[in-house]
């Protein structure tokens, strides 16, 4: 269900919408929960960002960027500095938009794990949603590592039994084999056709993803991998407010601390646990 300014939303068949946009709107209309928006601008901005998230996920799927652990992460040194922990730090002489676009344009030079991939997809989609000028103003000093993000991306996470195209869901593999800890789970983007993109898994159905994860469990495990009800997404309302106000870079912005945990393929909730407890751990 969709409500805008307190009035039930009525789609117009004469609107010239892309198939992705129609799919997102239909998912909202069919949802057992109410999606409420203050204005049409707020509504259409969320549709645009969700559309761009699915497009960015499809583009990453078609790219040559590889899945790897933090230890073997790679990036283009013309745009990023590779840190000892396997993160990508924006070079001071490079514009943020150019660096994000290079991940897609020169994808063969890059390798990263799936949480980092989800964040890259968010940034790429946001860039195409708000334009390079505002993106460069807001996202100075980018650092790509796991779920670490700039506060202005406004990442939120919550539990729900309903997902929309553009949401990132988490598939948990509780009995992952200790020799392959990167198969502890997968962060995957729900696409408009009901399939999922997970970096390192390409585009697959949920059943196919679970089947692959189950192949990397402890010997004798009876616990299957499963789709959790965790949903992670950017704050569309907050990003939209920055666009409507054309808010440029602030004189001071509190940055989130960085937790170098070295655990690939963790959920955002898992990362928040490390963040709140100040934990820096190494896989054994």
């Amino acid at each position: 269900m969709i409500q805008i300014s307190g009035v039930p939303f009525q789609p117009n068949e004469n609107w010239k919408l892309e198939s992705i946009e129609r799919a997102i709107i239909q998912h909202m209309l069919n949802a057992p929960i109410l999606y409420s928006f203050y204005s049409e601008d707020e509504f259409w901005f969320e549709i645009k960002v969700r559309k761009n998230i699915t497009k960015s996920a499809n583009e990453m799927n078609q790219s040559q960027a590889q899945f790897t652990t933090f230890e073997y992460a790679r990036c283009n040194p013309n745009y990023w500095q590779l840190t000892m922990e396997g993160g990508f730090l924006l070079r001071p002489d490079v514009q943020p938009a150019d660096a994000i676009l290079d991940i897609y344009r020169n994808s063969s030079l890059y390798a990263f794990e799936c949480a980092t991939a989800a964040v890259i997809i968010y940034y790429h989609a946001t860039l195409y949603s708000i334009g390079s000028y505002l993106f460069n103003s807001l996202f100075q000093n980018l650092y790509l590592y796991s779920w670490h993000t700039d506060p202005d991306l406004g990442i939120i996470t919550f539990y729900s039994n309903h997902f929309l195209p553009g949401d990132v869901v988490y598939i948990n593999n509780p009995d992952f084999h200790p020799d392959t800890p990167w198969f502890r789970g997968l962060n995957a983007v729900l696409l408009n056709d009901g399939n999922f993109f997970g970096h390192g898994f390409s585009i697959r159905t949920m059943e196919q993803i679970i089947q692959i994860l189950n192949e990397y469990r402890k010997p004798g495990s009876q616990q299957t991998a499963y789709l959790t009800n965790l949903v992670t997404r950017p704050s569309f309302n907050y990003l939209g407010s920055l666009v409507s106000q054309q808010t440029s870079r602030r004189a001071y912005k509190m940055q989130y601390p960085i937790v170098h945990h070295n655990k690939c393929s963790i959920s955002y909730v898992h990362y928040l646990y490390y963040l709140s407890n100040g934990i820096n751990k190494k896989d054994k």
Side-chain angles (χ1 to χ4, degrees):
M1 297 176 284
I2 303 173
Q3 182 176 281
I4 300 178
S5 301
V7 178
F9 173 79
Q10 295 294 332
N12 189 326
E13 294 182 358
N14 295 323
W15 286 335
K16 296 181 179 179
L17 300 177
E18 296 181 34
S19 60
I20 298 177
E21 294 169 320
R22 291 187 183 278
I24 295 169
I25 293 172
Q26 196 59 51
H27 273 77
M28 286 183 172
L29 288 171
N30 295 339
I33 59 177
L34 175 65
Y35 288 91
S36 182
F37 301 88
Y38 287 111
S39 66
E40 287 192 6
D41 287 343
E42 184 181 276
F43 168 72
W44 288 113
F45 182 76
E46 177 165 336
I47 298 300
K48 177 168 67 172
V49 179
R50 286 187 177 279
K51 174 189 70 176
N52 287 332
I53 290 173
T54 63
K55 286 186 172 182
S56 295
N58 274 286
E59 288 185 39
M60 183 173 288
N61 178 62
Q62 296 166 9
S63 78
Q64 298 180 57
Q66 295 182 345
F67 177 93
T68 193
T69 61
F70 293 110
E71 182 181 3
Y72 300 105
R74 302 194 316 271
C75 57
N76 186 346
N78 293 326
Y79 291 85
W80 304 91
Q81 300 174 28
L82 180 64
T83 66
M84 293 180 60
E85 294 83 6
F88 305 161
L89 179 64
L90 182 71
R91 286 174 54 106
D93 57 338
V94 171
Q95 291 286 1
D98 294 336
I100 292 297
L101 289 174
D102 186 72
I103 299 175
Y104 286 77
R105 291 171 177 169
N106 292 299
S107 57
S108 62
L109 301 178
Y110 291 85
F112 41 81
E113 52 82 58
C114 74
T116 307
V119 171
I120 292 170
I121 289 170
Y122 285 157
Y123 280 129
H124 189 252
T126 300
L127 169 58
Y128 276 98
S129 300
I130 70 176
S132 59
Y133 176 79
L134 187 55
F135 187 90
N136 288 333
S137 298
L138 293 173
F139 299 114
Q140 296 286 328
N141 307 313
L142 283 181
Y143 183 57
L144 304 177
Y145 179 90
S146 185
W147 278 107
H148 175 76
T149 62
D150 185 286
D152 281 340
L153 196 59
I155 297 297
I156 58 175
T157 193
F158 57 94
Y159 294 97
S160 174
N161 292 319
H162 181 73
F163 313 131
L164 293 177
D167 284 341
V168 169
V169 300
Y170 190 72
I171 305 95
N172 189 32
N173 190 18
D175 276 355
F176 65 88
H177 198 289
D179 291 342
T180 54
W182 47 90
F183 284 111
R184 63 168 44 86
L186 179 69
N187 295 285
V189 179
L190 174 59
L191 305 178
N192 58 295
D193 61 0
N195 289 321
F196 297 81
F197 167 74
H199 184 52
F201 280 63
S202 70
I203 295 175
R204 299 181 184 273
T205 65
M206 181 53 58
E207 292 74 18
Q208 289 171 330
I209 291 173
I210 290 175
Q211 182 179 2
I212 293 172
L213 288 174
N214 282 342
E215 294 174 0
Y216 296 91
R217 291 180 295 171
K218 298 175 183 176
S221 170
Q222 300 299 311
Q223 173 64 63
T224 181
Y226 62 94
L227 173 64
T228 71
N229 59 353
L230 180 67
V231 181
T232 305
R233 62 176 65 145
S235 174
F236 303 110
N237 292 347
Y238 181 67
L239 282 173
S241 70
L242 296 178
V243 174
S244 63
Q245 300 167 20
Q246 284 297 296
T247 304
S248 60
R249 183 173 47 156
R250 289 165 283 174
Y252 177 76
K253 176 169 59 175
M254 180 69 74
Q255 296 291 337
Y256 295 141
I258 302 168
V259 178
H260 292 113
H261 50 77
N262 198 38
K263 291 185 180 293
C264 295
S265 309
I266 66 171
S267 69
Y268 189 53
V269 164
H270 196 160
Y271 182 79
L272 289 178
Y273 171 78
Y274 289 152
L275 188 64
S276 63
N277 288 278
I279 296 174
N280 282 269
K281 290 187 175 181
K282 299 289 185 181
D283 271 333
K284 295 182 180 179

